[in-house]
Amino acid sequence: LSLGYLGMVATISGVALSIHAATRIGAARAEESSTRLDNITSRTVTRRRWLAGHLLLTLASVVLLACVAGFATWTGATVMGSDLGLGDAMSAVLNTVPAAVVFGGLAVLVLGLAPRGTAVVAATAAVTAYVLQVVGPALDWPDAVVGASPFWHLAAVPVEAFEPTSAVVLVLIGAVAAGVGTVAFERRDLVGA
């Protein structure tokens, strides 16, 4: 198994993790649209606390799924006789978590501003970002266009060294989007289906 191929597979896993993050926040939206959230917030649970629980669950599940994907990649490579190390497989997939944070944050932002599009907008953005990152360089698009994809800013781990600056910036972008979305969610009326 070549390390370049591993980097490509890890990026595809990152797209799946991003879609998972979007759909997890979409599950929060489903609670709102089914009016279950009305019953929850009529008690002592605030909207912020309720949404924070969903955010924590989303982040934890993304990290857990990344670990499972890294371990599964290593196991598959080992069964096929590759000398791929567990550390390389894990680091390649975990490297994509910051991109998933961006799309999870985008889902929260959409939940706050246009709730009916929560999962669809963020999941579509994740797929579009991946396509942009793959097709853009092949078509010689400018870096400013291709750079709109969070995946473009991630190092091709394990071929390249992990880039902490890019990871931190992507996590901050996701956190700011989630923060703005949370404030917007608290201030708007609950929206049914």
Side-chain angles (χ1 to χ4, degrees), residues 7-9 11-12 15 126-141 145-153:
M8 183 183 71
V9 169
T11 302
I12 293 170
V15 174
V127 172
T128 302
Y130 174 72
V131 170
L132 183 65
Q133 184 252 344
V134 170
V135 173
L139 297 177
D140 202 27
W141 288 351
V145 173
V146 181
S149 169
F151 298 108
W152 177 255
H153 300 282

Side-chain angles (χ1 to χ4, degrees), residues 47-132:
R47 286 190 193 189
R48 181 180 295 253
R49 185 171 153 211
W50 172 83
L51 186 54
H54 278 282
L55 287 170
L56 183 61
L57 178 61
T58 300
L59 182 60
S61 64
V62 164
V63 171
L64 177 64
L65 288 172
C67 290
V68 168
F71 184 77
T73 300
W74 172 77
T75 301
T78 302
V79 167
M80 297 305 295
S82 173
D83 60 351
L84 175 68
L86 178 60
D88 285 340
M90 295 297 280
S91 64
V93 178
L94 287 169
N95 179 56
T96 65
V97 168
V101 170
V102 169
F103 294 108
L106 175 62
V108 175
L109 181 63
V110 176
L111 175 68
L113 299 175
R116 289 188 174 101
T118 299
V120 173
V121 169
T124 301
V127 172
T128 302
Y130 174 72
V131 170
L132 183 65

Side-chain angles (χ1 to χ4, degrees), residues 1 6 13 35-36 39 71 74 133 137 140 144 173:
L1 178 70
L6 173 61
S13 295
T35 67
R36 287 192 306 260
N39 296 330
F71 184 77
W74 172 77
Q133 184 252 344
D140 202 27
I173 289 169

